[in-house]
Amino acid sequence: MKFSYNWIRELVDGLDIDPKHLEQLITIKTAECEGIEPFEGSQPGCAPDSIIEIDNKSITHRPDLWGHAGMAREVAAITRRPFLDPVRVDLVPAGPSPARISIEDFELCPRYSALVFENISVQPSPAWLQCRLEAIGLNPINNIVDVTNYVMAEIAQPMHAFDADKLHGDTIFVRRARAGECLTALNEERYELSTGNLVIADAKGAIALGGVIGGLESAISDATKRIVLESANFQAVGIRRTSAELKLRTDASMRFEKSQDPANTVRGLARAIELLNEVCPGIRLVGGLADQAREIVPPPAVLLPLDWLVRKLGLAISEEEVRDILERLQFGVETSSPGVLSVTVPGWRSTRDISIKDDLVEEIGRMVGYDTITPSAPMVTATVPPANEERLFHHRVREMAAAQGYTEVYNYSFISEDMARAFHLEPHAHLEIANPINSDQRLMRCSLLPGIWKNIEENSRNYDSFRLFEIGLEIHKREDAVRLPDEIPHLAAAVYGRGDGVDGLFELKRLAECLMPGAVVARCEPRPYEHPHRSVALRWHGSAVGRLFELHPTMVAGRAAILDVNLQLVYKLQPGTAMYKPIRRFPSSAFDLSVIIGLRDEVGRVGELLAQFAGPNLEALEFVRQYSGPPLAAGQKSVSYRMTLAAADRTLSASEVSAVRNGIIEAMRAKGYDLRI
Amino acid sequence: MLESILRDLECSARERIAAAKAPQYLEAVRIEVLGRKGTLAQISKELGKLPPEERARIGKLLNSVKQNLETALDSKKGQFDHEALRERLESEWVDLTLPAPGTRPGALHPITRIQTEIEDLFISLGFAVLDGPEVETEYNNFDALNIPPHHPARDMQDTFWLTDGHLLRTHTSPVQVRGMERLGPPLRMIAPGRVFRNEEVDASHEHTFYQLEGMMIDRDVSVAHLIFFMKTLLSAIFHRDVEVRLRPGYFPFVEPGFELDIKCLICGGGGCPVCKQSGWVELLPCGLVHPNVLRMSGIDPEEWNGFAFGLGLTRLAMMRYGIDDIRLLQSGDLRCLTQF
């Protein structure tokens, strides 16, 4: 929202601070200023001005600050100067109006006021008016429309002028649109309406979309001779709903959705009378005010206990000072009981902004200045906070992965359909964003792999080899859509290189083993994006926790090994505290065994069998080497393990050790294995 | 007679020791002269045949010859050992200017770094660290935070909606609601995490970024406490004393609501491009928790009150590391990410 410095100065008696200083005051006391721009104006005779830009978000709760008078009232309160109200309500004539108003839905339209004027001459506005509008970013159109815009920019009351000769009948209806009813608006767009939309209508049909935009048919033209000037109040929620539905935000809808004060409708008309007399020579009012409203009950006074206020602010402040501040802001203040003030809220603050005592804390605090509050330490109980063990676990995993050479990446939670399909994930199995920024960010990831794939592809343009990892959430749709989706933390790590790719797989296997000591790999059905002979499932404490594989060569140039682990599961499977076992006191004995297997037989299987057959005294089983070549037959390899035996209570005798060894050999042979002895 | 034999023996043995070229020559001398069947052992057998006074004198002489030769052998052996060690050391020259093998550590993401640092800080102040889901209900993200449907404040946070009616949380504030409902008062909690806004991405805007929400609820929490707390916290984050100021800010879940600025750390308040010449940098929104928010989470606002704040982790990471393009943080580009 743009504010003209000159305009504000006009409404605050004797304001003598420069724009820069004024901007700072407003920022500290009221709303956020985003900067000041000088304004020269295209018209000759425009007074130079400074335009203060206020962040719209910071006045979301202040319907009054959507006009210059509201801001001037604020500045007057801050600088302790009189506010000069531009509105002379006494200008509104008494007597019946030629126009009749029929509000059918007081919920959506609490008040509708109008005046009829005749003897209009539509012409360009005088330079001063055009300058004012131009300064705050509004286009001057003609004297009639410019006056409605001026009043809106001044007292935040949007208005609309109809060409009276284009209306049918003498009654203005305020009603819900009929299903399928259409309106061509001032912007020359045609809108199909629904019963949720409120229209202004004549005997024939809709002539405006209430509080949002006027209709084209009844618009002011150069030929206009008589006008009906509307100044109404519309309910914020209805306006927002309509404006969202039709994707149509206007200066009017932006103000009404902030909950404007119904008292302002007549004030708007009063101000318009004065301005029209000035810019439209010969104009005449026809009759008096047409005004229909539901009963508007003033909100109850807010009780403000002073000791409570002092406790909330943490600042000792006197009753006089509190009164002074509230009265400067035009609140009504009375003493309800000793130490408790009864505060009446002015209409322009009560529609949304202020209804409870907490709201008054802000009024006092900002006006007295938050910088006058001395910071003090809160008195709270010293307690140990509940630990978030799972989060700490994630941090440890991060540290571990980084220490092993992996650099952490963050990927978006969104993926494209193509990325999903590349990993054989059905797009319809994903949660979908209804309003994505673009179509390739429409699906919520239910795997980290598509993101990691993209990282691999992009970084391979800059590096011959690299390691990276991500810890992030997989988001899984549930059958029962009412419940929130399942969000499962995963670790995905990748090693990229240009060699034969084997080292990368084993590096990741090591990372997996560091994370899950004793995890085992299990043969599994390879997935289409996995190298069919380089893919295993990882199991830990009996549960499938993830996968280790090389990305299928059709998906990447070079080699990319990937580890994908369900961290939620790994966290749950972690063993408890390790208890000390006494250090063994008796010496151990070791021997090696070499087993002949086929080149593509799994070494791990041999180890498993050896361990199984070694019995309870096996202390360690260590892979020594594998060998293929003469004297072994082609297609064979020899696998050597060192086995260490020990007993807790004695030294094993040579014959006990050789009995175990012979037992293993016999059992292996029974399984069909050949041993080199 | 024996005396001259001993003296000759010592003399010749010394010569052989001195002339020895390798440790095995010394061993030969030792066995031949000092061994159990060596020359000295032979001679000592002869001692018994001597008259007593002769026996004592020759015996003494024999011992001294033995000792002298042992000393000579040890000393020569010491020389050999020393020489061998010297040669070994000499041969073991290593060029430590060569690069070390093995993998270099990777890097943690800048947001991870700043986030864990701030988590630790809060834990030390007695705060619980809570998590909440990234996909939230409309109720938790808006309604329970005093932002009912069609409230214009919903415009402040452009929202990604899911086709099932849920949404991607637009702030970490819904975790406040979860924290209040789960732990109840008194409560000190933070909730760091990923949030989403439906915004076009450019160098300073992202649709995905990181926030840290904080909340303290107790019997008697004031604006003065909030200022104290924020000042303490920010001084710890920036590792120096920071000056803060509050100005009005509108957030429906707090009342009063503030924007907290810190005095520009670059220019010290004099005015520079970073603070747009104002001397102050907007850092975090905060305020006293709105009584409606407390009530909706089952807490009596007449008995309890508190403050809440939201810290932009992404922004903080960019400030800390001098990152000038927000998109780098989620680019996965190792040229950037390996720098930390």
Side-chain angles (χ1 to χ4, degrees):
Chain A
M1 168 88 187
K2 290 182 193 308
F3 285 90
S4 148
Y5 168 74
N6 291 347
W7 202 335
I8 291 174
R9 237 174 58 155
E10 224 170 74
L11 302 173
V12 181
D13 193 19
L15 185 69
D16 56 358
I17 53 178
D18 61 35
K20 180 79 201 152
H21 189 188
L22 179 64
E23 184 224 22
Q24 285 170 358
L25 270 184
I26 293 174
T27 293
I28 281 295
K29 304 285 188 190
T30 303
E32 185 167 322
C33 298
E34 292 182 317
I36 308 179
E37 294 287 338
F39 172 76
E40 296 295 342
S42 59
Q43 301 276 338
C46 263
D49 199 352
S50 294
I51 304 307
I52 300 174
E53 177 86 44
I54 301 284
D55 180 8
N56 285 354
K57 289 175 183 175
S58 73
I59 50 174
T60 302
H61 59 313
R62 291 289 302 265
D64 58 323
L65 295 187
W66 289 77
H68 281 71
M71 189 57 87
R73 199 190 283 120
E74 194 73 17
V75 171
I78 295 167
T79 57
R80 298 169 184 270
R81 294 189 181 278
F83 165 60
L84 303 174
D85 189 350
V87 178
R88 286 180 51 204
V89 186
D90 60 296
L91 293 177
V92 179
S97 168
R100 276 209 291 256
I101 292 159
S102 163
I103 301 179
E104 290 178 14
D105 191 325
F106 282 104
E107 181 70 27
L108 293 179
C109 177
R111 185 171 194 180
Y112 195 102
S113 316
L115 286 172
V116 179
F117 294 86
E118 63 181 10
N119 201 29
I120 303 281
S121 56
V122 175
Q123 54 185 269
S125 297
W128 69 264
L129 177 50
Q130 296 201 26
C131 284
R132 270 288 152 86
L133 295 179
E134 211 182 287
I136 58 166
L138 294 172
N139 286 330
I141 295 170
N142 57 47
N143 52 353
I144 306 299
V145 175
D146 291 354
V147 163
T148 62
N149 282 334
Y150 189 93
V151 174
M152 175 181 73
E154 189 165 61
I155 65 167
Q157 172 63 48
M159 302 179 94
H160 182 70
F162 297 101
D163 186 328
D165 295 319
K166 291 180 182 161
L167 300 183
H168 304 83
D170 60 359
T171 307
I172 289 172
F173 299 95
V174 184
R175 59 164 169 83
R176 285 171 180 268
R178 310 209 159 90
E181 190 168 4
C182 288
L183 176 76
T184 303
L186 281 172
N187 60 5
E188 296 176 23
E189 294 280 330
R190 190 173 162 77
Y191 295 97
E192 191 177 325
L193 308 175
S194 67
T195 53
N197 308 134
L198 190 77
V199 295
I200 312 303
D202 62 9
K204 202 176 144 214
I207 53 173
L209 196 52
V212 181
I213 197 166
L216 187 62
E217 217 174 301
S218 56
I220 304 300
S221 70
D222 291 346
T224 299
K225 289 292 161 215
R226 291 196 311 138
I227 61 167
V228 173
L229 188 60
E230 165 199 295
S231 183
N233 186 266
F234 297 99
Q235 186 225 33
V237 169
I239 293 292
R240 260 186 77 78
R241 202 180 282 141
T242 293
S243 135
E245 250 174 54
L246 303 178
K247 294 190 171 55
L248 179 62
R249 293 198 84 195
T250 60
D251 287 322
S253 76
M254 242 156 59
R255 284 171 174 80
F256 282 126
E257 67 174 33
K258 309 297 186 295
S259 299
Q260 289 297 331
D261 178 9
N264 234 5
T265 63
V266 177
R267 285 171 49 80
L269 291 173
R271 183 65 175 133
I273 293 171
E274 190 178 1
L275 290 165
L276 286 171
N277 280 332
E278 186 177 344
V279 305
C280 187
I283 189 169
R284 279 195 302 271
L285 263 165
V286 185
L289 173 72
D291 186 21
Q292 198 182 12
R294 71 155 186 233
E295 193 195 353
I296 289 156
V297 188
V302 180
L303 292 182
L304 179 64
L306 289 163
D307 59 342
W308 176 86
L309 173 72
V310 166
R311 267 210 330 275
K312 272 276 184 181
L313 284 174
L315 174 75
I317 182 167
S318 69
E319 180 170 345
E320 291 73 40
E321 203 172 350
V322 173
R323 267 179 181 278
D324 174 54
I325 287 170
L326 291 173
E327 281 166 0
R328 262 153 57 201
L329 289 165
Q330 304 195 18
F331 289 84
V333 186
E334 278 172 47
T335 304
S336 157
S337 59
V340 180
L341 298 180
S342 169
V343 181
T344 316
V345 185
W348 60 88
R349 300 297 303 278
S350 67
T351 51
R352 166 162 275 147
D353 187 18
I354 293 182
S355 56
I356 55 173
K357 61 187 177 185
D358 299 77
D359 299 326
L360 295 175
V361 176
E362 172 151 50
E363 298 304 301
I364 308 297
R366 68 191 179 95
M367 294 307 273
V368 74
Y370 293 120
D371 57 340
T372 62
I373 298 176
T374 312
S376 71
M379 297 276 283
V380 293
T381 333
T383 48
V384 177
N388 187 334
E389 295 291 351
E390 190 160 358
R391 182 177 272 272
L392 293 174
F393 171 68
H394 289 177
H395 288 334
R396 286 199 299 276
V397 175
R398 282 193 171 89
E399 297 278 356
M400 179 194 288
Q404 292 198 20
Y406 299 83
T407 291
E408 187 179 23
V409 299
Y410 284 17
N411 284 307
Y412 291 137
S413 303
F414 315 127
I415 59 168
S416 67
E417 287 192 20
D418 288 347
M419 287 168 93
R421 284 206 189 90
F423 286 87
H424 288 257
L425 301 163
E426 280 300 322
H428 66 77
H430 290 71
L431 276 171
E432 281 176 42
I433 296 170
N435 56 339
I437 287 182
N438 43 54
S439 58
D440 66 355
Q441 296 185 331
R442 201 169 60 81
L443 306 180
M444 295 302 291
R445 60 177 177 182
C446 61
S447 163
L448 302 191
L449 298 179
I452 293 289
W453 180 40
K454 186 165 168 276
N455 298 145
I456 290 168
E457 202 168 72
E458 288 173 357
N459 283 296
S460 68
R461 292 177 209 144
N462 301 316
Y463 296 94
D464 287 339
S465 70
F466 54 84
R467 297 169 187 78
L468 53 83
F469 79 99
E470 177 177 18
I471 291 181
L473 293 174
E474 287 189 357
I475 299 188
H476 293 275
K477 196 169 168 176
R478 288 188 204 263
E479 288 297 310
D480 168 12
V482 177
R483 289 172 64 206
L484 287 173
D486 211 7
E487 300 188 3
I488 304 168
H490 266 241
L491 163 72
V495 177
Y496 177 82
R498 305 231 193 256
D500 66 4
V502 174
D503 289 350
L505 285 164
F506 280 97
E507 262 192 52
L508 283 170
K509 186 179 179 192
R510 191 167 75 94
L511 178 63
E513 285 175 345
C514 290
L515 178 63
M516 304 173 281
V520 293
V521 299
R523 211 197 278 266
C524 60
E525 187 62 33
R527 294 171 180 167
Y529 54 87
E530 296 174 340
H531 188 307
H533 295 292
R534 294 182 171 191
S535 150
V536 288
L538 284 163
R539 299 186 70 80
W540 196 38
H541 299 307
S543 296
V545 290
R547 289 179 86 87
L548 170 62
F549 60 92
E550 187 176 303
L551 205 53
H552 199 282
T554 53
M555 291 182 69
V556 64
R559 303 276 188 174
I562 295 180
L563 172 71
D564 179 17
V565 175
N566 178 332
L567 279 189
Q568 190 178 60
L569 211 48
V570 171
Y571 171 72
K572 285 185 188 142
L573 291 169
Q574 284 182 108
T577 310
M579 297 306 290
Y580 168 73
K581 290 196 248 6
I583 295 166
R584 184 167 44 71
R585 289 164 56 208
F586 300 94
S588 61
S589 315
F591 56 86
D592 288 4
L593 281 178
S594 297
V595 182
I596 315 288
I597 55 175
L599 276 180
R600 289 201 168 192
D601 290 340
E602 286 173 348
V603 171
R605 179 69 188 144
V606 173
E608 273 170 37
L609 288 171
L610 292 176
Q612 183 191 324
F613 298 143
N617 286 334
L618 179 68
E619 191 178 68
L621 176 76
E622 188 193 346
F623 171 78
V624 181
R625 73 181 73 83
Q626 58 176 347
Y627 169 78
S628 61
L632 294 172
Q636 285 192 326
K637 64 182 172 186
S638 155
V639 180
S640 303
Y641 274 95
R642 174 155 306 141
M643 310 180 73
T644 308
L645 300 182
D649 56 349
R650 66 189 197 284
T651 306
L652 293 173
S653 69
S655 61
E656 279 177 300
V657 173
S658 69
V660 173
R661 183 171 181 272
N662 291 337
I664 297 171
I665 293 169
E666 218 167 283
M668 289 299 283
R669 284 189 172 141
K671 283 268 177 193
Y673 287 96
D674 201 3
L675 282 86
R676 291 211 304 170
I677 302 162
Chain B
M1 173 65 177
L2 275 179
E3 187 178 344
S4 66
I5 291 173
L6 279 170
R7 291 205 187 282
D8 287 349
L9 181 66
E10 181 180 350
C11 198
S12 71
R14 275 179 180 279
E15 274 167 24
R16 285 173 66 194
I17 290 168
K21 296 234 172 344
Q24 63 266 34
Y25 295 109
L26 295 181
E27 190 58 13
V29 174
R30 200 186 61 78
I31 293 166
E32 203 182 311
V33 181
L34 298 170
R36 243 183 327 142
K37 293 176 181 171
T39 325
L40 282 179
Q42 304 279 334
I43 293 171
S44 70
K45 281 182 191 161
E46 303 292 314
L47 285 181
K49 297 173 187 165
L50 295 177
E53 62 275 26
E54 261 302 84
R55 192 190 310 159
R57 196 175 59 83
I58 299 297
K60 227 172 168 182
L61 179 64
L62 185 133
N63 274 338
S64 92
V65 169
K66 192 176 171 187
Q67 261 174 25
N68 289 345
L69 289 179
E70 274 172 353
T71 310
L73 277 168
D74 285 351
S75 138
K76 186 69 181 181
K77 185 165 180 303
Q79 279 176 32
F80 280 126
D81 287 351
H82 179 79
E83 179 60 20
L85 184 62
R86 199 191 59 76
E87 271 174 26
R88 180 186 148 184
L89 295 176
E90 185 61 31
S91 70
E92 286 176 352
W93 179 85
V94 163
D95 181 2
L96 281 172
T97 65
L98 285 169
T103 310
R104 293 296 93 88
L108 290 175
H109 196 280
I111 292 176
T112 297
R113 284 173 175 275
I114 206 123
Q115 184 185 314
T116 35
E117 187 182 313
I118 297 176
E119 279 178 27
D120 289 347
L121 194 64
F122 275 103
I123 292 169
S124 75
L125 292 167
F127 280 64
V129 185
L130 302 185
D131 295 305
E134 291 177 1
V135 177
E136 260 294 3
T137 59
E138 183 179 355
Y139 176 82
N140 278 340
N141 195 76
F142 288 125
D143 302 49
L145 293 164
N146 206 25
I147 315 175
H150 302 291
H151 192 290
R154 289 201 174 189
D155 290 347
M156 292 160 74
Q157 303 180 353
D158 293 323
T159 308
F160 282 115
W161 292 91
L162 298 179
T163 49
D164 67 1
H166 295 311
L167 51 78
L168 301 186
R169 64 175 174 189
T170 56
H171 45 190
T172 39
S173 312
V175 192
Q176 282 185 12
V177 180
R178 291 170 176 274
M180 284 187 286
E181 285 170 2
R182 208 183 96 201
L183 301 171
L187 175 66
R188 270 172 282 174
M189 56 151 282
I190 57 163
R194 174 179 279 209
V195 301
F196 308 85
R197 301 271 171 95
N198 195 335
E199 280 187 21
E200 289 293 334
V201 174
D202 62 31
S204 47
H205 296 90
E206 250 291 2
H207 54 57
T208 301
F209 54 97
Y210 284 77
Q211 272 189 349
L212 185 144
E213 186 80 9
M215 177 182 240
M216 173 157 119
I217 294 182
D218 217 298
R219 300 261 173 208
D220 209 3
V221 178
S222 71
V223 177
H225 297 145
L226 168 69
I227 302 173
F228 174 87
F229 201 87
M230 290 298 129
K231 201 168 143 58
T232 306
L233 169 74
L234 294 170
S235 297
I237 291 174
F238 290 105
H239 306 298
R240 57 206 266 196
D241 196 37
V242 297
E243 236 182 280
V244 305
R245 75 169 186 191
L246 295 187
R247 52 188 174 81
Y250 174 64
F251 311 98
F253 37 101
V254 287
E255 187 64 58
F258 313 111
E259 289 283 3
L260 182 139
D261 300 337
I262 59 168
K263 188 161 268 184
C264 182
L265 296 173
I266 308 296
C267 65
C272 70
V274 170
C275 61
K276 296 180 201 142
Q277 305 303 330
S278 74
W280 295 91
V281 176
E282 181 177 324
L283 197 67
L284 61 88
C286 53
L288 298 186
V289 182
H290 197 288
N292 289 353
V293 173
L294 293 173
R295 218 173 279 126
M296 271 187 280
S297 293
I299 296 173
D300 179 2
E302 291 301 320
E303 206 176 324
W304 301 95
N305 58 4
F307 62 70
F309 58 89
L311 198 56
L313 289 176
T314 300
R315 180 123 179 280
L316 221 48
M318 291 174 75
M319 281 167 78
R320 161 76 61 88
Y321 298 104
I323 298 170
D324 57 2
D325 188 334
I326 196 169
R327 290 169 295 196
L328 283 168
L329 292 168
Q330 258 137 156
S331 64
D333 190 336
L334 296 177
R335 290 173 301 176
C336 165
L337 297 172
T338 50
Q339 293 181 27
F340 307 103

